[in-house]
Amino acid sequence: MVDNSTRHLKGIFVPEDITDECVSIAQSRCLTLQHYTYDCHRSRNEHGIPYGNTVASVLRFTLRVSKPDECNFLYRHLMQNREVTYSFIFNATFDEHQRLTLYDDAIAIKGFVVDVAEAFQSKTEEQMQLTVEVLLNRITYVGKDSNKPLVIV
């Protein structure tokens, strides 16, 4: 999907669950992550200690896409209205076989795709940006030491 001359990328998106140890991520399945944002809210008592469930939130992320058909799976997920898992991987390195070997941090998100919006840019070559909104159910932070899940109810 992404044609890069380097084997090291700052932020990438993959339609896979990075926490699944059986998954082997090919560079051809990766897209460039432009940015993402989300808020999680939780009630706090007068001492500032959180209690109760974390309130559901919408995560928005923007992908850079060189060919429109690279993201057909996002439209399918939107139409199917079923829970999906995506991963954002930071400072990823790929081996000579175009497989993910190392990364610094990652976030695995689980939820429902609720919107996909397109924006086209025409410079030297035409590129498309997709902004995707996912109603979150779960976020798992994957670091060098451990996985830290944040369950959203």
Side-chain angles (χ1 to χ4, degrees), residues 68-138:
D69 61 344
E70 288 180 332
C71 291
N72 287 339
F73 65 92
L74 288 168
Y75 295 103
R76 280 195 308 273
H77 294 165
L78 176 65
M79 298 299 289
Q80 291 170 346
N81 195 26
R82 65 177 177 88
E83 190 174 64
V84 294
T85 302
Y86 301 133
S87 297
F88 302 154
I89 303 171
F90 304 99
N91 295 321
T93 304
F94 295 87
D95 64 14
E96 63 276 359
H97 303 293
Q98 306 298 317
R99 295 283 178 198
L100 180 68
T101 56
L102 297 170
Y103 59 91
D104 285 347
D105 298 295
I107 299 174
I109 61 168
K110 184 178 275 191
F112 296 86
V113 177
V114 293
D115 190 32
V116 178
E118 302 172 355
F120 287 93
Q121 293 180 348
S122 184
K123 294 181 182 174
T124 56
E125 62 180 58
E126 192 166 320
Q127 288 199 343
M128 182 172 77
Q129 287 188 337
L130 283 178
T131 301
V132 181
E133 293 184 1
V134 176
L135 180 61
L136 292 173
N137 283 345
R138 182 181 190 92

Side-chain angles (χ1 to χ4, degrees), residues 41-67:
H41 303 283
R42 195 164 176 201
S43 298
R44 296 182 179 270
N45 64 17
E46 63 273 358
H47 302 292
I49 298 172
Y51 67 91
N53 295 329
T54 303
V55 178
S57 177
V58 172
L59 179 138
R60 288 175 188 83
F61 62 92
T62 304
L63 302 174
R64 187 175 64 215
V65 182
S66 57
K67 299 176 193 152

